[in-house]
Amino acid sequence: MNDVKEQFSNVSKKYDSQREYLIPCFKDFYTACLPLVKSLTHAKKVLDIGAGTGLFTQFIYDIKPHLHFTLTDLSGEMLNVARERFEGEANFEYLELDFSKDPLPGKYDIIISGLAIHHLEDADKAKLYKNIFQALNDGGLFINADQVAGKNVLFDSLYKYYWRETVSHSGLDHEALVQAFERTKLDKLAPLATQLKMLEKAGFNEVDCIYKNMNFAVFGGFKDENVETAVV
């Protein structure tokens, strides 16, 4: 994960300004989960895994500013941008950690992750989903807004071609495009269906895809330890 840390640390100051260029479905991608978040009236604590600049947290904060937020990331530089974003807010804490191997701190009612988990190998994704399940309180919600692979080579190639063509004509400057294309070499995308199965095997009894546009997907699950599930 050192390469991931380095590349995102280098772009930390420009990260937010580039998002709407690099995510063609930006608004839907970050807001699709909000109805589910609103439904958790009991929620008190949120963990953001791979929080970066706090962009995904911002959308949650906007509808539930009273929650306590813990933002974690590999990159201290990215977290510094998040600190600036939420400066003066007493209900925020920040922790630099490697979520691929470090334990998740504490227990939470909502755990979110945005464009981070796709940097892990599949075995590490599955391990992290188990750790997330354990870190959730009963009745808690996990949301992953991330990039996923196509179900087969044809669709995967189509999604990647469409994304590259779209961002190439988005108005983003040449240097930022080159950096973005270079960062895709760090991607280890897995199909949506594969990851939903991982969540079920981790213990989540209610899982689904909330939103999908090409290879941008928002999916997750609820933790209810009173419901027994059996996954083959």
Side-chain angles (χ1 to χ4, degrees):
M1 294 288 282
N2 287 335
D3 290 343
V4 175
K5 179 179 180 179
E6 180 180 356
Q7 292 227 21
F8 282 90
S9 293
N10 291 340
V11 77
S12 59
K13 295 295 184 181
K14 300 178 180 179
Y15 184 85
D16 284 359
S17 64
Q18 296 176 0
R19 291 300 89 188
E20 292 193 52
Y21 294 98
L22 295 173
I23 307 174
C25 52
F26 176 87
K27 184 176 180 180
D28 290 340
F29 182 67
Y30 281 110
T31 62
C33 72
L34 297 186
L36 292 182
V37 173
K38 287 179 180 178
S39 74
L40 269 68
T41 56
H42 67 280
K44 295 180 179 179
K45 297 180 67 177
V46 179
L47 174 66
D48 189 341
I49 297 173
T53 64
L55 180 59
F56 196 6
T57 285
Q58 180 74 64
F59 287 89
I60 309 298
Y61 173 80
D62 287 345
I63 64 168
K64 284 184 175 287
H66 62 283
L67 299 178
H68 182 277
F69 295 89
T70 300
L71 278 63
T72 69
D73 200 86
L74 274 170
S75 168
E77 286 83 358
M78 293 286 273
L79 286 177
N80 285 338
V81 177
R83 287 187 177 93
E84 293 175 7
R85 178 194 293 274
F86 301 110
E87 185 176 5
E89 300 294 340
N91 53 325
F92 279 77
E93 62 179 306
Y94 308 88
L95 182 62
E96 188 173 338
L97 63 75
D98 183 347
F99 56 81
S100 69
K101 60 183 180 181
D102 295 336
L104 301 179
K107 299 283 282 189
Y108 303 88
D109 303 300
I110 301 171
I111 297 179
I112 63 173
S113 184
L115 296 172
I117 296 175
H118 71 273
H119 293 122
L120 301 180
E121 300 287 354
D122 283 6
D124 291 327
K125 289 185 182 74
K127 180 180 176 181
L128 177 60
Y129 289 151
K130 290 179 181 178
N131 291 341
I132 289 170
F133 182 81
Q134 294 299 322
L136 275 174
N137 290 319
D138 192 28
L141 171 67
F142 169 56
I143 295 292
N144 187 20
D146 210 352
Q147 289 176 280
V148 299
K151 187 176 181 180
N152 51 50
V153 174
L154 188 153
F155 278 99
D156 195 52
S157 298
L158 172 65
Y159 296 161
K160 290 175 180 177
Y161 174 80
Y162 171 80
W163 175 79
R164 195 178 183 95
E165 284 295 297
T166 301
V167 301
S168 294
H169 297 89
S170 65
L172 194 62
D173 66 80
H174 177 72
E175 180 183 358
L177 282 173
V178 171
Q179 292 174 346
F181 294 153
E182 184 67 21
R183 289 196 299 273
T184 63
K185 296 177 182 178
L186 302 172
D187 294 349
K188 300 175 177 66
L189 308 187
L192 174 63
T194 299
Q195 296 192 68
L196 291 177
K197 183 64 71 174
M198 288 178 183
L199 291 178
E200 290 177 338
K201 289 185 176 181
F204 290 93
N205 50 281
E206 299 288 349
V207 304
D208 203 357
C209 176
I210 303 163
Y211 172 83
K212 188 173 186 296
N213 186 325
M214 298 290 183
N215 68 333
F216 289 91
V218 183
F219 59 97
F222 285 93
K223 176 179 181 177
D224 186 350
E225 292 181 336
N226 295 317
V227 179
E228 294 185 2
T229 57
V231 179
V232 177

